[in-house]
């Protein structure tokens, strides 16, 4: 981690809120950013006492109170990045800013969520997932009602310009369709959500767009990493783990790993695994059952990647996509 004095510049100061997490994420991170006329909160952690106490303690240690926060900026809609929004705005009414595609997800729009469930039901059928897909779809259906209370209650302002509070807005979809990064050009700092995590690869999660069409999320994630690679960023404030200094080497490593995974999938298809489900089971073994949706996102994304490279073909047979090596 970078020491606090390394995060202080004449026009901008960052107060990281780092909450330990027992999962492979290691921590959940969100950030207070002090500029001349603002104290922005970038992301808002989980909705739990650990994150709340971490926020209040960080404010108090640095001479602030909750009332000093001037706005909340969200990198994307995932629950570990927006958890405290309702609790903060119930005590202190301030603007919330997010990507337009975040709105139906943050508001838990019922029609959108029902469409999303049907999207996955069809997708998992076409990937040959059978009962495993049906089980996950049933879970998603149940979650619509169970998680209604997690909807963001306050109004959300759509970020439609390319700058906000001295940040350049960089669209970096892939991990999430609505993910954005906040780039402070003067300091070459990037608040990147889950675009880049130092100790693990960020998942490109398969999602529908607002019209129900499947987004090629891994291809988007690759483009987003390359977009970051083209910026003169010297410090990435990640949503998990440590702050990343000189991130370009790590980005190159992540891009190389994508190619390595794709090559392994080619081997599995050559050996006779021809559906998304069979490839996923062969690649991940028991993890396929333990983390079904994450595993299927990984495999589907890499199949998209191989299709774009022209290395595989697919044929729709009895309602299931069958993959083969180009030229076979």
């Amino acid at each position: 981690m970078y020491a606090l004095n390394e995060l202080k510049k004449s026009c901008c100061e960052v107060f990281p809120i780092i909450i330990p997490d027992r999962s492979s994420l290691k921590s959940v991170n969100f950030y207070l950013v002090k500029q001349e006329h603002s104290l922005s909160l970038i992301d808002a952690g989980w909705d739990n006492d650990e994150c709340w106490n971490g926020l209040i303690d960080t404010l108090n240690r640095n001479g602030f109170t909750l009332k000093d926060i001037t706005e909340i900026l969200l990198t994307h809609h995932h629950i570990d990045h927006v958890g405290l929004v309702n609790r903060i705005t119930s005590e202190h009414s301030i603007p919330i800013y997010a990507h337009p595609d975040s709105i139906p997800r943050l508001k838990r729009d019922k029609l959108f969520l029902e469409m999303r469930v049907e999207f996955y039901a069809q997708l998992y059928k076409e990937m040959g997932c059978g009962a495993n897909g049906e089980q996950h779809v049933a879970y998603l259906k149940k979650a619509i009602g169970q998680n209604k209370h997690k909807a963001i209650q306050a109004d959300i302002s759509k970020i439609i310009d390319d700058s906000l509070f001295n940040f350049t807005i960089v669209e970096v979809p892939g991990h999430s369709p609505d993910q954005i990064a906040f780039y402070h050009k003067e300091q070459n700092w990037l608040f990147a959500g889950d675009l880049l995590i130092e100790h693990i690869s960020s998942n490109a999660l398969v999602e529908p767009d607002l019209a129900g069409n499947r987004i090629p999320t891994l291809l988007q994630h690759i483009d987003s990493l390359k977009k970051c690679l083209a910026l003169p960023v010297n410090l990435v404030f990640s949503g998990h783990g440590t702050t990343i200094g000189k991130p370009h080497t790590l980005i190159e490593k992540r891009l190389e790993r994508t190619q390595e995974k794709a090559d392994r999938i080619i081997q599995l298809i050559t050996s006779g695994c021809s559906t998304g489900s069979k490839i996923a089971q062969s690649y991940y073994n028991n993890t396929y059952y333990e983390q079904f949706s994450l595993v299927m996102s990984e495999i589907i994304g890499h199949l998209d990647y191989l299709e774009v490279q022209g290395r595989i073909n697919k044929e729709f047979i009895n309602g299931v996509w069958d993959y083969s090596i180009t030229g076979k």
Side-chain angles (χ1 to χ4, degrees):
M1 290 293 296
Y2 278 67
L4 191 61
N5 61 2
E6 295 180 79
L7 305 179
K8 183 175 182 179
K9 303 289 184 179
S10 59
C11 62
C12 186
E13 188 170 4
V14 180
F15 304 96
I17 304 160
I18 311 297
I19 309 301
D21 191 283
R22 295 185 186 90
S23 74
S24 62
L25 296 173
K26 292 189 177 181
S27 69
V28 172
N29 309 338
F30 46 118
Y31 302 94
L32 289 161
V33 182
K34 180 71 177 79
Q35 300 186 77
E36 186 178 2
H37 299 296
S38 66
L39 180 65
S40 304
L41 179 65
I42 299 182
D43 286 341
W46 288 106
D47 181 15
N48 61 27
D49 287 341
E50 288 82 3
C51 287
W52 177 257
N53 292 337
L55 171 63
I56 298 303
D57 288 347
T58 302
L59 286 165
N60 291 343
R61 280 200 321 270
N62 293 285
F64 304 117
T65 70
L66 194 69
K67 301 294 184 182
D68 290 312
I69 300 175
T70 50
E71 58 275 325
I72 302 172
L73 313 179
L74 299 177
T75 61
H76 61 297
H77 74 280
H78 289 169
I79 191 62
D80 55 331
H81 291 258
V82 306
L84 294 179
V85 170
N86 282 339
R87 192 165 175 179
I88 293 168
T89 55
S90 69
E91 295 191 21
H92 177 39
S93 181
I94 51 174
I96 305 163
Y97 295 89
H99 188 283
D101 288 355
S102 297
I103 308 301
R105 295 170 166 91
L106 292 171
K107 289 294 187 180
R108 299 199 62 80
D109 179 87
K110 190 168 185 289
L111 289 178
F112 170 78
L113 295 178
E114 289 173 346
M115 176 275 287
R116 187 172 176 268
V117 168
E118 291 306 312
F119 163 83
Y120 286 115
Q122 185 65 29
L123 175 66
Y124 294 146
K125 283 180 185 177
E126 293 179 356
M127 290 294 156
C129 296
N132 297 294
E134 292 169 5
Q135 182 179 1
H136 187 68
V137 168
Y139 163 79
L140 292 174
K141 283 182 180 177
K142 190 175 180 181
I144 293 176
Q146 286 184 332
N147 294 331
K148 281 197 314 185
H149 67 285
K150 295 181 180 178
I152 299 302
Q153 300 302 314
D155 291 338
I156 303 168
S157 298
K158 300 176 183 178
I159 297 177
I160 55 176
D161 296 322
D162 60 3
S163 62
L164 188 72
F165 302 110
N166 295 322
F167 294 111
T168 299
I169 307 303
V170 185
E171 294 201 39
V172 286
H175 172 69
S176 175
D178 59 325
Q179 185 168 244
I180 54 177
F182 300 94
Y183 176 49
H184 200 288
K185 188 180 292 187
E186 289 184 43
Q187 310 305 335
N188 290 326
W189 290 348
L190 189 72
F191 297 84
D194 288 351
L195 172 66
L196 193 65
I197 302 172
E198 194 276 334
H199 64 283
I200 54 172
S201 297
S202 182
N203 297 98
L205 302 174
V206 171
E207 282 276 353
D209 63 18
L210 299 186
N213 302 306
R214 183 162 73 81
I215 302 168
T217 48
L218 181 60
L219 299 176
Q220 284 190 337
H221 183 61
I222 290 168
D223 287 343
S224 294
L225 287 173
K226 290 178 178 177
K227 192 181 291 186
C228 182
L229 201 59
L231 293 171
V233 175
N234 57 35
L235 197 59
V236 171
F237 294 89
S238 179
H240 305 282
T242 63
T243 305
I244 303 166
K246 299 179 180 178
H248 295 82
T249 300
L250 181 60
I251 294 171
E252 295 284 9
K253 180 180 175 182
R254 293 286 181 260
L255 294 172
E256 288 172 9
R257 180 62 178 146
T258 298
Q259 186 62 51
E260 290 169 3
K261 281 189 175 183
D263 291 342
R264 171 65 179 142
I265 289 170
I266 285 287
Q267 294 174 7
L268 291 173
I269 296 173
T270 301
S271 72
C273 297
S274 62
T275 67
S277 178
K278 288 179 181 177
I279 295 165
Q281 290 176 61
S282 296
Y283 195 111
Y284 286 100
N285 300 312
N286 286 339
T287 307
Y288 171 79
Y289 305 98
E290 297 163 359
Q291 300 182 40
F292 173 79
S293 63
L294 294 178
V295 163
M296 286 309 302
S297 285
E298 278 287 291
I299 294 302
I300 292 168
H302 282 79
L303 290 170
D304 289 345
Y305 177 73
L306 287 166
E307 276 192 83
V308 167
Q309 288 187 324
R311 298 177 68 188
I312 62 172
N313 296 316
K314 67 181 180 183
E315 185 179 3
F316 205 50
I317 301 175
N318 297 325
V320 177
W321 286 113
D322 188 89
Y323 291 88
S324 61
I325 304 302
T326 301
K328 286 192 67 175

